[in-house]
Amino acid sequence: MIVKKLRLQKSWSQEQLSQFSGLSVRTIQRIERGHQASIESLKALAAVFQIDLNDLQPEHDMNTSNTVNDNVSSPLNHQTTQLSDDERKAMKYVEGIKGFYGHLFSFVSSIIVLTLINLFLTPGYLWVLWVIFGWGIGIVSHGIQVFEVFSFFSPEWEKKQVEKRLGRKL
C-alpha cells in the first residue's frame, strides 16, 4: 500500500512505475497487493521515489534509526510513506469502484456482442435475455456491495456474531 500511495502521489500508472524502476508490471502489482518484495525490488522503488529503503519495509520501526541511512535526506518526509487507516480504507474503496466499473464495462461490451450474435443467428428466440438477467443480478449485487447501498453484514452485526460465538462481550 505504501508503494501505491507514493505512485498515486506522483500520478504514475503501474506501467510508468515499471519503466522508471525497471521492475515488471506484475511485480509492482504484487507489491501493491501486499506481497513480500525482494530487497532488490525495494531498492529500485526507493531509488525511483527518492526515499529511504527502510520507509518501504513494513517491519521498519519508526523509533529505531539505521546508521547507514541517517545522513541521507529524502525529499519526501517520513509521514508520506506511512498509510493512515483512512488512506488505506479510501484506497480499498477506490479499488472496489474500479473493479465494479471494469465488471460493468465487461458486461455491457459482452451483451452488445452477444445481442448481435443472437439477432444474427437466431432472431426468433432472444436467448441473450437470459444472459442479461443472470449477469445483471451479479452486476447489481456487485454495485450494492461496492457502493455500500445497504449492508446485511454491518460491523455491528459482525461484532454481535463474534460475541455470540465467544459467549461474552468483546
PDB file of all heavy atoms in Angstrom, residues 11 16 22 45 59 92 99 123 150 167 169:
ATOM      1  N   SER A  11       1.056  10.586  -9.511  1.00  0.00           N
ATOM      2  CA  SER A  11       0.130  10.386 -10.636  1.00  0.00           C
ATOM      3  C   SER A  11       0.729   9.495 -11.718  1.00  0.00           C
ATOM      4  O   SER A  11       0.563   9.732 -12.908  1.00  0.00           O
ATOM      5  CB  SER A  11      -0.291  11.732 -11.240  1.00  0.00           C
ATOM      6  OG  SER A  11      -0.943  12.518 -10.285  1.00  0.00           O
ATOM      7  N   GLN A  16       4.063   3.078 -15.842  1.00  0.00           N
ATOM      8  CA  GLN A  16       5.104   4.097 -15.742  1.00  0.00           C
ATOM      9  C   GLN A  16       6.093   3.762 -14.638  1.00  0.00           C
ATOM     10  O   GLN A  16       7.305   3.870 -14.834  1.00  0.00           O
ATOM     11  CB  GLN A  16       4.474   5.474 -15.486  1.00  0.00           C
ATOM     12  CG  GLN A  16       3.762   6.049 -16.686  1.00  0.00           C
ATOM     13  CD  GLN A  16       3.011   7.323 -16.337  1.00  0.00           C
ATOM     14  OE1 GLN A  16       2.266   7.362 -15.362  1.00  0.00           O
ATOM     15  NE2 GLN A  16       3.203   8.357 -17.141  1.00  0.00           N
ATOM     16  N   GLY A  22      12.404  -0.311 -13.562  1.00  0.00           N
ATOM     17  CA  GLY A  22      12.998  -1.492 -14.187  1.00  0.00           C
ATOM     18  C   GLY A  22      12.372  -2.789 -13.704  1.00  0.00           C
ATOM     19  O   GLY A  22      12.852  -3.867 -14.026  1.00  0.00           O
ATOM     20  N   LEU A  45      12.578   0.628  -6.096  1.00  0.00           N
ATOM     21  CA  LEU A  45      11.452   1.518  -5.810  1.00  0.00           C
ATOM     22  C   LEU A  45      11.883   2.702  -4.944  1.00  0.00           C
ATOM     23  O   LEU A  45      11.459   3.839  -5.180  1.00  0.00           O
ATOM     24  CB  LEU A  45      10.320   0.741  -5.128  1.00  0.00           C
ATOM     25  CG  LEU A  45       9.618  -0.274  -6.027  1.00  0.00           C
ATOM     26  CD1 LEU A  45       8.707  -1.169  -5.203  1.00  0.00           C
ATOM     27  CD2 LEU A  45       8.844   0.425  -7.130  1.00  0.00           C
ATOM     28  N   GLU A  59       8.214  -3.796   8.280  1.00  0.00           N
ATOM     29  CA  GLU A  59       8.656  -4.090   9.637  1.00  0.00           C
ATOM     30  C   GLU A  59       9.545  -2.999  10.207  1.00  0.00           C
ATOM     31  O   GLU A  59      10.015  -3.089  11.314  1.00  0.00           O
ATOM     32  CB  GLU A  59       9.379  -5.445   9.701  1.00  0.00           C
ATOM     33  CG  GLU A  59      10.648  -5.530   8.877  1.00  0.00           C
ATOM     34  CD  GLU A  59      10.387  -5.934   7.435  1.00  0.00           C
ATOM     35  OE1 GLU A  59       9.243  -6.239   7.079  1.00  0.00           O
ATOM     36  OE2 GLU A  59      11.335  -5.947   6.651  1.00  0.00           O
ATOM     37  N   LYS A  92      -8.810   1.147  -0.694  1.00  0.00           N
ATOM     38  CA  LYS A  92      -9.574  -0.085  -0.877  1.00  0.00           C
ATOM     39  C   LYS A  92     -10.927   0.215  -1.522  1.00  0.00           C
ATOM     40  O   LYS A  92     -11.381  -0.517  -2.403  1.00  0.00           O
ATOM     41  CB  LYS A  92      -9.758  -0.792   0.470  1.00  0.00           C
ATOM     42  CG  LYS A  92     -10.364  -2.158   0.354  1.00  0.00           C
ATOM     43  CD  LYS A  92     -10.379  -2.870   1.685  1.00  0.00           C
ATOM     44  CE  LYS A  92     -11.002  -4.246   1.505  1.00  0.00           C
ATOM     45  NZ  LYS A  92     -10.953  -5.048   2.695  1.00  0.00           N
ATOM     46  N   GLY A  99     -12.943  -1.944  -9.765  1.00  0.00           N
ATOM     47  CA  GLY A  99     -13.335  -3.309 -10.110  1.00  0.00           C
ATOM     48  C   GLY A  99     -14.770  -3.371 -10.606  1.00  0.00           C
ATOM     49  O   GLY A  99     -15.086  -4.085 -11.565  1.00  0.00           O
ATOM     50  N   PRO A 123     -32.785 -14.937 -34.630  1.00  0.00           N
ATOM     51  CA  PRO A 123     -33.590 -13.758 -34.321  1.00  0.00           C
ATOM     52  C   PRO A 123     -34.961 -14.081 -33.728  1.00  0.00           C
ATOM     53  O   PRO A 123     -35.562 -13.236 -33.070  1.00  0.00           O
ATOM     54  CB  PRO A 123     -33.737 -13.061 -35.675  1.00  0.00           C
ATOM     55  CG  PRO A 123     -33.460 -14.099 -36.690  1.00  0.00           C
ATOM     56  CD  PRO A 123     -32.540 -15.098 -36.050  1.00  0.00           C
ATOM     57  N   PHE A 150     -26.615  -0.706   1.096  1.00  0.00           N
ATOM     58  CA  PHE A 150     -27.006  -1.219   2.401  1.00  0.00           C
ATOM     59  C   PHE A 150     -26.165  -2.458   2.654  1.00  0.00           C
ATOM     60  O   PHE A 150     -25.628  -3.055   1.746  1.00  0.00           O
ATOM     61  CB  PHE A 150     -28.508  -1.521   2.498  1.00  0.00           C
ATOM     62  CG  PHE A 150     -29.011  -2.481   1.459  1.00  0.00           C
ATOM     63  CD1 PHE A 150     -28.976  -3.838   1.663  1.00  0.00           C
ATOM     64  CD2 PHE A 150     -29.530  -2.006   0.262  1.00  0.00           C
ATOM     65  CE1 PHE A 150     -29.437  -4.719   0.701  1.00  0.00           C
ATOM     66  CE2 PHE A 150     -29.997  -2.879  -0.704  1.00  0.00           C
ATOM     67  CZ  PHE A 150     -29.950  -4.234  -0.488  1.00  0.00           C
ATOM     68  N   GLY A 167     -19.430 -16.062  23.564  1.00  0.00           N
ATOM     69  CA  GLY A 167     -20.236 -16.166  24.772  1.00  0.00           C
ATOM     70  C   GLY A 167     -19.951 -15.043  25.749  1.00  0.00           C
ATOM     71  O   GLY A 167     -20.233 -15.148  26.940  1.00  0.00           O
ATOM     72  N   LYS A 169     -18.810 -10.420  25.901  1.00  0.00           N
ATOM     73  CA  LYS A 169     -18.603  -9.145  25.195  1.00  0.00           C
ATOM     74  C   LYS A 169     -17.152  -9.037  24.751  1.00  0.00           C
ATOM     75  O   LYS A 169     -16.253  -9.558  25.412  1.00  0.00           O
ATOM     76  CB  LYS A 169     -18.957  -7.965  26.092  1.00  0.00           C
ATOM     77  CG  LYS A 169     -20.407  -7.907  26.492  1.00  0.00           C
ATOM     78  CD  LYS A 169     -21.224  -7.285  25.411  1.00  0.00           C
ATOM     79  CE  LYS A 169     -22.670  -7.143  25.857  1.00  0.00           C
ATOM     80  NZ  LYS A 169     -23.527  -6.772  24.772  1.00  0.00           N
TER      81      LYS A 169
END
